[in-house]
């Protein structure tokens, strides 16, 4: 089995490598190709990757290359984890929106739109090159904004599934608080990428006992602290929103906070500098503890389970893809339930079928089939609908360009929604991203 990781020079990659090594019975990789144009980073990451494999007794071959076409040729699955513009672009995404009184964040609001505009054309070009060399390959997208990028891939006819680590991270934390194995918990996870709620936490799988009320009663304060939201929000809603909902529920407070402290991009850039120094140490043969602070926790386990299910392997044994239980083969071959980003196809009746949602799905060689979702409270359905409309316009702007399309997407976003503010953000977005926007 050959896998390729585009963006393989990322400091995230050792997390992924560690998962491939530990879970080799689930996903028996014989060749892993790390593809990245940054040869210096790729050498450091590739060296550590080989040492991790060797220490854990994995006999798979790890190849590093800057040649995309050669790297993806013959791959059974291609994982995308790239950042167009690097941390410098992220730093800008997190700062210029603040000048207009809007949250500066790399996946939502104006910064998220900027990232989508830079990213979608690049990802589509990569996907077309994958399709030319191996049309049967699956594309697993971990590149943000995952929902918009996955929708672009699916609309272009690619075999693609989007992946985020929010659900598996919450599953692990909930299991730890309840003293349970993570595989025992199934999350009723619903929404869009980075706009989700856990409306139930079930024992054993769909239809199992819902222990969310107990979880909130006994551990609500700790969960709220993790999410950086008041515990009263959890008490009043009776659900667990993702961390990203604080940008909506406490927008103005977050803006003031971001104006008075170093950006997350600056923190990450410093972490990356230290991590790359560590990766260059020939004695290092495991992922360093610092990597846990970089983000992407449990990404490797979710990625292994998803790739194994899509490729017809023995998935579901260790991580259960943030779900627990196994399916009856609705998506092919006894696959586990996993939280993924895929077409709505009627799952949320208030959205178009070609909207990309993030929900539990049965995953197998034929793809992802979302599980049924009970009717959603208008409090959640309304915001999901609003952001989906923004994502429609954002994708149009990413595919066709033009100032007017950027402006309309910003005006439609629930965190912006004012003409003067949208105009100011449009000018700043274009000015800071001109090198990545051919039409500009």
């Amino acid at each position: 089995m050959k896998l390729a990781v585009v963006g393989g020079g990322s400091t995230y990659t050792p997390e992924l490598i560690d998962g491939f090594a530990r879970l080799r019975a689930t996903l028996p990789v014989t060749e892993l190709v790390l593809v990245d144009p940054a040869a210096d980073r790729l050498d450091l990451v590739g060296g550590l990757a080989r040492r991790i494999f060797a220490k854990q007794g994995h006999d798979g071959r790890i190849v590093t290359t800057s040649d995309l076409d050669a790297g993806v040729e013959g791959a059974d699955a291609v994982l995308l984890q790239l950042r167009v513009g690097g941390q410098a672009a992220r730093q800008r995404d997190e700062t210029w929106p603040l000048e207009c009184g809007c949250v500066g964040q790399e996946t939502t609001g104006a910064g998220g739109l900027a990232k989508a505009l830079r990213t979608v054309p690049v990802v589509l070009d990569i996907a077309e090159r994958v399709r030319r060399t191996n049309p049967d390959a699956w594309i697993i997208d971990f590149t943000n904004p995952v929902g918009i990028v996955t929708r672009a891939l699916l609309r272009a006819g690619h075999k693609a599934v989007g992946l985020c680590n929010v659900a598996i991270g919450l599953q692990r934390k909930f299991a730890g608080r309840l003293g349970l194995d993570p595989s025992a918990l199934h999350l009723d996870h619903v929404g869009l990428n980075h706009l989700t709620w856990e409306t139930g936490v079930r024992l054993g799988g769909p239809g199992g006992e819902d222990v969310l009320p107990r979880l909130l009663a006994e551990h609500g304060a700790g969960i709220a602290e993790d999410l950086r939201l008041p515990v009263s929000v959890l008490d009043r809603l009776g659900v667990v929103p993702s961390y990203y909902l604080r940008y909506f529920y406490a927008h103005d407070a977050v803006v003031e906070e971001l104006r008075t402290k170093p950006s997350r991009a600056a923190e990450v850039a410093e972490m990356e500098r230290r991590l790359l120094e560590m990766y260059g140490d020939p004695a290092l043969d495991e992922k360093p503890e610092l990597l846990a602070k970089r983000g992407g926790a449990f990404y490797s386990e979710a990625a292994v389970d998803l790739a194994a299910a899509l490729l017809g392997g023995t998935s579901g044994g260790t991580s259960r893809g943030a779900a627990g239980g196994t399916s009856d083969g609705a998506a092919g071959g006894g696959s586990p339930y996993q939280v993924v980003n895929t077409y709505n196809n009627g799952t949320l009746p208030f959205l178009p079928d070609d909207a990309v949602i993030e929900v539990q799905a049965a995953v197998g060689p034929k793809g992802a089939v979302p599980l049924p979702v009970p009717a959603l409270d208008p409090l959640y359905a309304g915001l999901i609908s609003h952001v989906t409309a923004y994502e429609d316009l954002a994708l149009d702007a990413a595919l066709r360009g033009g100032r007017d399309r950027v402006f309309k997407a910003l005006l439609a976003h629930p965190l912006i929604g004012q003409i003067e503010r949208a105009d100011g953000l449009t000018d700043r977005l274009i000015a800071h991203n001109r090198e990545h926007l051919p039409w500009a």
Side-chain angles (χ1 to χ4, degrees):
M1 181 184 294
K2 176 179 177 179
L3 267 63
V5 181
V6 179
S10 168
T11 53
Y12 272 133
T13 299
E15 161 69 26
L16 193 60
I17 299 299
D18 176 72
F20 287 151
R22 287 186 293 105
L23 306 176
R24 54 189 177 275
T26 299
L27 188 68
V29 177
T30 55
E31 183 177 357
L32 179 63
V33 184
L34 306 180
V35 184
D36 203 294
D40 52 344
R41 292 170 63 108
L42 194 57
D43 286 344
L44 296 173
V45 174
L48 175 57
R50 294 185 185 99
R51 295 192 297 272
I52 291 173
F53 263 32
K55 180 179 181 179
Q56 299 199 32
H58 196 302
D59 59 2
R61 176 177 177 235
I62 293 180
V63 178
T64 58
T65 181
S66 296
D67 186 333
L68 174 66
D69 294 319
V72 302
E73 185 174 4
D76 297 289
V78 178
L79 282 74
L80 305 181
Q81 55 171 39
L82 55 147
R83 182 183 295 280
V84 179
Q87 292 297 333
R90 177 178 182 172
Q91 170 70 17
R92 293 191 293 270
D93 291 345
E94 293 181 357
T95 51
W96 55 263
L98 296 174
E99 297 170 7
C100 296
C102 292
V103 68
Q105 213 278 329
E106 65 159 344
T107 64
T108 193
L113 177 60
K115 194 171 196 301
L117 297 181
R118 294 192 304 269
T119 304
V120 166
V122 174
V123 165
L124 289 178
D125 176 66
I126 293 169
E128 285 299 329
R129 292 161 75 173
V130 171
R131 181 152 57 187
R132 286 200 299 268
T133 61
N134 185 6
D136 293 326
W138 278 101
I139 295 176
I140 297 173
D141 179 58
F142 192 66
T143 296
N144 281 320
V146 168
I148 295 173
V149 172
T150 301
R151 190 171 187 182
L153 288 166
L154 290 172
R155 277 185 49 173
H158 297 290
K159 293 174 61 177
V161 179
L163 179 66
C164 181
N165 68 316
V166 167
I168 196 170
L170 287 172
Q171 180 206 36
R172 293 302 191 270
K173 288 183 178 181
F174 294 166
R177 293 183 185 281
L178 295 172
L180 298 172
D181 186 276
S183 65
L185 295 183
H186 174 100
L187 304 185
D188 290 344
H189 179 100
V190 62
L192 311 176
N193 181 242
H194 289 184
L195 192 85
T196 53
W197 297 263
E198 311 309 320
T199 60
V201 178
R202 301 187 181 277
L203 296 178
E209 178 190 355
D210 185 7
V211 296
L212 179 57
R214 170 188 159 196
L215 189 67
L216 291 176
E218 298 178 1
H219 304 284
I223 294 170
E225 184 177 357
D226 289 343
L227 300 175
R228 300 184 65 192
L229 286 169
V231 68
S232 60
V233 172
L234 276 63
D235 291 340
R236 295 170 71 181
L237 298 182
V239 303
V240 177
S242 80
Y243 168 86
Y244 291 89
L245 264 298
R246 71 188 296 262
Y247 297 117
F248 293 81
Y249 292 164
H251 176 271
D252 292 351
V254 171
V255 167
E256 290 307 309
E257 172 190 310
L258 294 175
R259 282 173 167 165
T260 59
K261 72 172 192 175
S263 68
R264 173 63 178 167
E267 294 175 355
V268 168
E270 174 58 21
M271 267 187 270
E272 288 203 333
R273 184 191 66 78
R274 293 168 59 193
L275 285 168
L276 289 170
E277 285 183 358
M278 294 178 183
Y279 295 172
D281 180 358
L284 183 67
D285 57 7
E286 60 186 11
K287 63 177 183 180
E289 290 185 10
L290 179 62
L291 185 55
K293 298 180 181 180
R294 169 66 180 83
F298 308 113
Y299 160 43
S300 62
E301 295 181 15
V304 165
D305 264 6
L306 179 54
L310 292 171
L311 299 175
T314 57
S315 61
T318 301
S319 71
R320 298 289 187 181
T326 56
S327 79
D328 59 4
S335 59
Y337 298 131
Q338 300 179 50
V339 172
V340 297
N341 286 260
T342 191
Y343 270 151
N344 177 46
N345 283 336
T347 307
L348 301 180
F350 52 87
L351 295 183
D353 285 348
D354 67 349
V356 165
I357 60 174
E358 185 172 290
V359 292
Q360 291 280 5
V363 184
K366 294 182 180 180
V369 178
L371 300 186
V373 174
L376 280 182
D377 188 298
L379 179 64
Y380 315 121
L383 187 53
I384 290 170
S385 297
H386 196 159
V387 175
T388 296
Y390 151 76
E391 291 189 349
D392 288 344
L393 295 167
L395 182 54
D396 187 44
L399 293 173
R400 298 201 289 163
R403 187 189 187 282
D404 284 349
R405 293 188 181 93
V406 173
F407 168 78
K408 288 177 181 177
L410 290 169
L411 188 63
H413 199 290
L415 297 184
I416 301 167
Q418 298 179 52
I419 292 174
E420 184 176 352
R421 181 172 284 179
D423 261 327
L425 289 168
T426 300
D427 291 339
R428 286 167 173 80
L429 186 155
I430 294 172
H432 285 290
N433 291 276
R434 201 174 296 276
E435 64 182 297
H436 301 289
L437 306 175
W439 52 266

